[in-house]
Amino acid sequence: MDFNKALILGIESSCDDTAASVLEINSKGSEIRSAIVHNQFNLHKEYGGVVPEIAARAHAELIDVVVEKALKSAKVVMADISAIGVTAGPGLIGGVLSGLMFAKGLSVSTNKPLIGVNHLAGHALTPRLTNKVAFPYLVLLVSGGHCQFLIVHSYKKYERLGGTIDDAPGEAFDKAARLLGLQQPGGPSIEEAAIKGDVSRFDLPRPLLDREDCNFSFSGLKTALMRKRNELTEKQGGLFEKDVCDLSASFQQAMHDVIIEKSVRAIDLYLKFTNGNQTFAIAGGVAANKKIRHSLKKICETKKVDFLAPPLELCTDNAAIIAYAAAERFFHGDYDDTTISARPRWPLDNQKPAILGSGKKGSKA
Ligand code: KG4
Ligand code: ZN
């Protein structure tokens, strides 16, 4: 086997994106030959969250088309592929099953090795796909479905420093936007409204800042926002544009303050373990927030840690990151067989007790 060269087919279907990618690993590094993502946003938008049954059916209907598109756009055929990497969890079980069953069938019919990838490992290993970052590094996953700090010691050893005990931050932004009558996805809408808002008009809580650890809780913040909204609505009969902007600014500021303070703590813990090349990377849709991103960059400068924010299309759900996580295992001969099961929960760090955060996009680990 040539340890410098492989073409990996990646398949992702754990939430509301049906995705496939062909990733080439060569002596120069990684090259994404194709990355197809078909989002189901329109199928779920009238329900205010991802409906697992609808998601699973839509994945099952589209997965072969998306894989074919990925192969075609990479100008390869299955015979060229070295291995198939597929998300085997954690996520919405019906969706994971759709992808995994398809990948098992493809593996048997083409006689290609099958690698069942932990979706969170896909996110956590992205800094190696984009920048060949050396182990150990620190990652913060902040999206609509995930929220955790991980020290990535190797392709299979992860140490969780903290995570959410209820909502993920993207979920909190989405719920806040719904409360304020703003468009989904909520993060960009809140960010835009906040630009015109007065951040000091409302005092919203900063949950769990009084606790020394790196855990988050966002549901109390959302309830506090709802109370302020209800008070104003009762008094004035509704919300004026200024109220929406001021509430958005205060909400974003509270989210920012908690994420930044907990990141300072996580970086301090990480620095105790390491010397030499030190990197703090972010992943997930919330990483697009300019205020949060800017402050994370600043604290890294202060602490003399490299800050890495991969391109947004690799921070959000896609199959190139799944193919990359599979590639790391492929080069170690670490394969699965067709007995592998789909897992709704699959913590990366199995030394620590599970954090039972769960929400509209399924379980958090
Ligand atoms: O990683 P992602 O695309 O998908 C899933 O989690 O499935 O993250 C989407 C989340 C949404 O909840 C969205 O509101 C949030 O990321 N998001 C943002 C921003 N852009 C997207 N949150 C805050 N500020 C943003 N600019
Ligand atoms: Zn994800």
Coordinates of all heavy atoms in Angstrom, one line a residue, residues 119 123 143 146 317, ligand 2:
H119 N -18.8 11.5 13.2 CA -19.0 12.8 12.6 C -18.2 13.9 13.4 O -17.6 14.8 12.7 CB -20.5 13.1 12.7 CG -20.9 14.5 12.2 ND1 -21.2 14.7 10.8 CD2 -21.0 15.7 12.8 CE1 -21.4 16.0 10.7 NE2 -21.3 16.6 11.9
H123 N -15.2 16.9 12.2 CA -15.1 18.3 12.5 C -13.7 18.6 13.2 O -13.0 19.5 12.9 CB -16.2 18.8 13.5 CG -17.5 19.0 12.8 ND1 -17.6 19.9 11.7 CD2 -18.7 18.5 13.0 CE1 -18.9 20.0 11.3 NE2 -19.6 19.1 12.1
S143 N -21.8 24.9 16.6 CA -22.7 24.9 15.5 C -24.2 24.8 15.9 O -24.5 25.0 17.1 CB -22.4 23.7 14.5 OG -22.8 22.5 15.1
H146 N -23.7 21.1 17.6 CA -22.6 20.7 18.4 C -22.0 21.9 19.3 O -22.1 23.0 18.8 CB -21.4 20.1 17.7 CG -21.7 19.3 16.5 ND1 -22.4 18.2 16.6 CD2 -21.5 19.6 15.2 CE1 -22.5 17.7 15.4 NE2 -22.0 18.5 14.5
D317 N -21.5 21.3 8.0 CA -21.5 19.8 7.7 C -21.2 19.6 6.2 O -21.8 20.3 5.3 CB -22.8 19.2 8.0 CG -23.0 19.0 9.5 OD1 -21.9 19.2 10.2 OD2 -24.0 18.7 10.0
Ligands
ZN2 ZN -21.7 18.7 12.2

